[in-house]
Amino acid sequence: MITLSVKNLKKKIGKKEIIKGIDIELYEGEVFGFLGPNGAGKTTTIRMLTGLIRPTSGSISICGYDLQKDFTNAMMHLGCIVENPELYPFLSGYDNLVHFARMIPGFQSKRLAEVIELVGLSERIHDKVKTYSLGMRQRLGIAQALLGNPKVLILDEPTNGLDPAGIREMRQFIRDLAKNEGLSVLVSSHLLSEIQLLCDRVAIISKGAVIQTDTVHALLSSQEKMVWRVEPLQQAKQILESATEVVELEDCLITDFDANKAGLWSRELVNSGIQIIEMNRRLPALEDLFLELTGGDRIE
Amino acid sequence: MNKLIQNEMLKLLARKRLIVVGIILSILVVLFTYAQYQTVQTQLKKLGTTDWRTTLQQQIIDTQNRLSNSRIPDDFKKELEVRVKQQQYYLDNDINPAEPGAPSFTKEFMENSIDLLLPLMIMVIASDLVSSEFSMGSIKLLLTRPVKRWKILFSKYVTLLLAISLIIAMMGMISYLISGVVFGFKGWTAPEFIGFQITEAGFDASGASIIPQWQFILMDFGVVWFAAVVVGTLSFMVSVLIRSTAAGMGIILALLIAGAILSNMVSSWTSAKYFFMLNMRLTDYLNGSPPPIEGMTLSFSLAVLTVWWLLALFISFGVFTKKDIY
Ligand SMILES: Nc1ncnc2c1ncn2[C@@H]1O[C@H](COP(=O)(O)OP(=O)(O)O)[C@@H](O)[C@H]1O
Ligand SMILES: [Mg+2]
């Protein structure tokens, strides 16, 4: 089932077209990545999806309700954190949740305890938010987003600023939400590694336009590279070049990754008396991926 | 909607703004009470040790003698009649007219704070009601709920009206209680003269009448509340338009002070009467003080303030419901 559908979304700020026609569809129970470098337009798109800014044109529908025409019903099915969750620092975590719960028509009070339990904040929930760590604020932010039992959850760079343990925890939490509660989660990020570990599908956005939408698996397997550290370099390059395309980078050689051929190539090298110091399968850096997808279009 | 207002009250109280306003008012009232007390003391010293009751008795007889003289003009007669009534009241109720009771002090305090002190206190609350949500960033959480934007702003506006009423009630209570301890709590029924006007031709008492002081104070509170709502709504609008609370406060403060300065010097620049700041001293119309510009009346000022109020309300809601939130 499609929970969020975005069609030909555009936004002009002043004379500048910041978002140039974005189409996205989210399905139930999937984690969808929104990948792009800083300034690509991720946050601007998310602001439109959450009703904070008005699109110049295009349509957004959440669980079948049009966000422009039927704001209240659409927002009933959406939970979100745009950039950082800026909760009221002078209120306790609990009062913050009560505050936002009061804004949901027909809110069942038992949901409050459920949500607090879910994000694991029971012990500190009555402390003032200004005493919370960043990780706790992030969890409280998710708690407020989940209060209304949404079908769609939108998180803008949710792991920004968290420590590695926090990042791992957050990742697991998001995956569980999608799997156990059937939520559609849209996560934006500028880190390919994060999207790779977290998402089922991904849309790559650059300069306000989606340049590719695909499953993470398909995208990465077509883009994965092989890094060779070998002695002597030039001789190895000649041998590899007879089989595939090779790029020389500092003291390494880089080829495409091909699970069927990697073994063959390495045997050939060894047979020619070349010493293999290291051979490594590597994800492309986001930057390289971009170069690849956009055909040399630099990221500013 | 009730729940939204509850939310806004929760935030307002958690931030302790109202308590700060209460403390400021208490300190000021103590200060003014002390100043008033000193004035009374020096006056008593000047009058010597003569019993004020005898003096008052003598004054009443003098005035009555003048009244029996048929050649004095009607207007003046009316004023003298009120004076006799007031003096008789003081005598009957054992009030020294040189010493104000708590009701007179409260009345005077309200009349003097209507154009600057009260607006400042209201501004402290109103000017960050909306802009603080922007500067904290919480506006993004507030506006991504299944609630229409105008409802959210409306709940904030109702909260403002409640806060204004609370501040004015607080002002009345504080000044009554603190001054009462020093001057006594008597004088609620003292006769007050209402409806006369000071014009170029002199003293115009046609349409004047006498009402008890409590009724006068009630009317004072009515117009004070109206003026406060208008200033509150204007600060509210600035709070919607400007993200920075400090800048918003600065603008309102500058306007209020400009108003105070202008009202002392503009009597020839007549278009200045359309500024809201020059129409704030509504209590002056009640107690007969001359308006800053010739020809201004209570209904004129009420009309000007109403226009400013509607305009501010219209702009606030228009902008807030359409605004892109970055
Ligand atoms: N309020 C604004 N006015 C003008 N330009 C803006 C505004 N907000 C964002 N932009 C521009 O829009 C582009 C996308 O920004 P943003 O959506 O924040 O990117 P991301 O979240 O992907 O890092 C940037 O080039 C930025 O300069
Ligand atoms: Mg961003």
Side-chain angles (χ1 to χ4, degrees), chain B residues 231-246:
Chain B
V231 174
T233 309
L234 285 164
S235 313
F236 189 74
M237 175 188 76
V238 172
S239 178
V240 170
L241 296 179
I242 298 180
R243 191 182 270 259
S244 150
T245 305

Side-chain angles (χ1 to χ4, degrees), chain A residues 1-235:
Chain A
M1 195 187 94
I2 293 172
T3 50
L4 173 72
S5 150
V6 177
K7 291 205 183 79
N8 199 20
L9 194 66
K10 290 183 183 168
K11 179 69 184 178
K12 253 188 185 164
I13 300 179
K15 285 209 165 63
K16 203 172 149 209
E17 193 161 49
I18 302 227
I19 304 297
K20 299 161 186 161
I22 282 186
D23 297 87
I24 303 174
E25 273 178 355
L26 252 69
Y27 301 100
E28 209 172 342
E30 78 169 341
V31 182
F32 187 90
F34 203 43
L35 177 65
N38 286 323
K42 302 182 295 293
T43 301
T44 307
T45 306
I46 286 177
R47 280 181 202 277
M48 286 192 276
L49 299 185
T50 53
L52 289 174
I53 64 180
R54 195 180 295 264
T56 309
S57 67
S59 76
I60 299 162
S61 116
I62 300 165
C63 293
Y65 295 104
D66 187 289
L67 186 68
Q68 315 288 322
K69 296 190 192 99
D70 199 353
F71 181 79
T72 312
N73 275 321
M75 293 309 278
M76 287 283 278
H77 298 94
L78 180 80
C80 62
I81 304 178
V82 182
E83 295 187 315
N84 304 312
E86 282 123 339
L87 293 127
Y88 299 106
F90 51 85
L91 296 178
S92 68
Y94 189 80
D95 283 343
N96 264 289
L97 292 181
V98 169
H99 173 279
F100 290 113
R102 282 194 192 128
M103 302 181 78
I104 301 168
F107 183 78
Q108 305 276 315
S109 55
K110 72 173 198 297
R111 177 71 184 158
L112 204 60
E114 255 173 52
V115 169
I116 295 169
E117 182 68 39
L118 192 66
V119 297
L121 269 181
S122 308
E123 275 176 34
R124 295 284 308 278
I125 198 68
H126 289 289
D127 294 352
K128 289 247 158 66
V129 167
K130 61 181 161 212
T131 67
Y132 283 17
S133 68
L134 191 70
M136 293 168 68
R137 279 173 207 219
Q138 198 67 266
R139 277 189 278 165
L140 187 62
I142 293 202
Q144 66 76 28
L146 292 176
L147 273 175
N149 270 315
K151 291 298 291 174
V152 180
L153 184 65
I154 296 182
L155 305 172
D156 191 9
E157 313 228 10
T159 55
N160 236 0
L162 297 184
D163 58 17
I167 292 178
R168 214 171 315 123
E169 195 182 305
M170 180 64 66
R171 207 184 280 142
Q172 190 55 46
F173 185 76
I174 293 171
R175 286 238 55 100
D176 287 349
L177 277 178
K179 195 165 151 224
N180 304 338
E181 321 236 335
L183 259 76
S184 310
V185 188
L186 181 111
V187 179
S188 80
S189 177
H190 63 279
L191 300 169
L192 180 63
S193 57
E194 178 152 313
I195 295 288
Q196 182 200 9
L197 292 168
L198 183 59
C199 302
D200 304 308
R201 286 195 308 139
V202 60
I204 297 180
I205 173 174
S206 162
K207 293 179 178 170
V210 171
I211 49 183
Q212 189 166 359
T213 308
D214 212 334
T215 64
V216 171
H217 179 76
L219 186 78
L220 289 180
S221 57
S222 71
Q223 300 296 337
E224 237 175 339
K225 301 287 181 195
M226 193 79 193
V227 179
W228 306 81
R229 205 121 73 88
V230 286
E231 274 296 336
L233 197 69
Q234 288 311 319
Q235 203 185 332

Side-chain angles (χ1 to χ4, degrees), chain A residues 245-262:
Chain A
E245 217 172 285
V246 183
V247 178
E248 192 181 327
L249 192 76
E250 284 158 23
D251 58 345
C252 300
L253 298 174
I254 297 173
T255 64
D256 285 343
F257 173 75
D258 186 333
N260 301 322
K261 302 237 177 87

Side-chain angles (χ1 to χ4, degrees), chain B residues 52-207:
Chain B
W52 59 269
R53 289 183 193 77
T54 355
T55 322
L56 203 57
Q57 194 84 62
Q58 191 54 50
Q59 278 172 356
I60 291 174
I61 295 167
D62 282 352
T63 321
Q64 272 166 346
N65 285 342
R66 286 169 75 185
L67 270 172
S68 55
N69 180 343
S70 58
R71 276 185 312 182
I72 61 166
D74 269 0
D75 281 351
F76 192 46
K77 207 170 198 168
K78 209 157 185 178
E79 198 203 347
L80 290 180
E81 274 167 4
V82 174
R83 203 181 292 166
V84 172
K85 274 199 183 136
Q86 277 178 334
Q87 286 166 342
Q88 193 62 52
Y89 176 87
Y90 292 140
L91 202 60
D92 294 347
N93 292 278
D94 200 24
I95 297 170
N96 182 347
E99 271 180 31
S104 328
F105 181 91
T106 305
K107 172 170 157 281
E108 210 155 304
F109 185 62
M110 293 310 287
E111 287 174 359
N112 284 310
S113 40
I114 190 172
D115 63 342
L116 201 57
L117 178 63
L118 179 66
L120 285 183
M121 298 293 113
I122 303 283
M123 185 190 82
V124 168
I125 306 280
S127 63
D128 82 341
L129 220 46
V130 181
S131 64
S132 69
E133 301 271 5
F134 278 94
S135 49
M136 281 189 290
S138 48
I139 190 79
K140 289 181 290 183
L141 295 176
L142 202 61
L143 296 187
T144 51
R145 305 290 127 187
V147 179
K148 291 219 167 69
R149 282 194 192 183
W150 71 264
K151 283 192 185 171
I152 291 174
L153 194 67
F154 187 70
S155 69
K156 282 190 177 291
Y157 191 66
V158 172
T159 306
L160 174 65
L161 294 185
L162 289 174
I164 289 175
S165 311
L166 211 66
I167 289 176
I168 292 177
M170 213 153 67
M171 242 169 134
M173 299 277 255
I174 290 174
S175 61
Y176 181 66
L177 292 177
I178 294 182
S179 67
V181 170
V182 179
F183 302 121
F185 295 94
K186 281 192 289 188
W188 280 110
T189 50
E192 284 282 340
F193 205 13
I194 193 169
F196 64 87
Q197 259 178 341
I198 295 161
T199 62
E200 224 138 67
F203 191 78
D204 172 18
S206 60

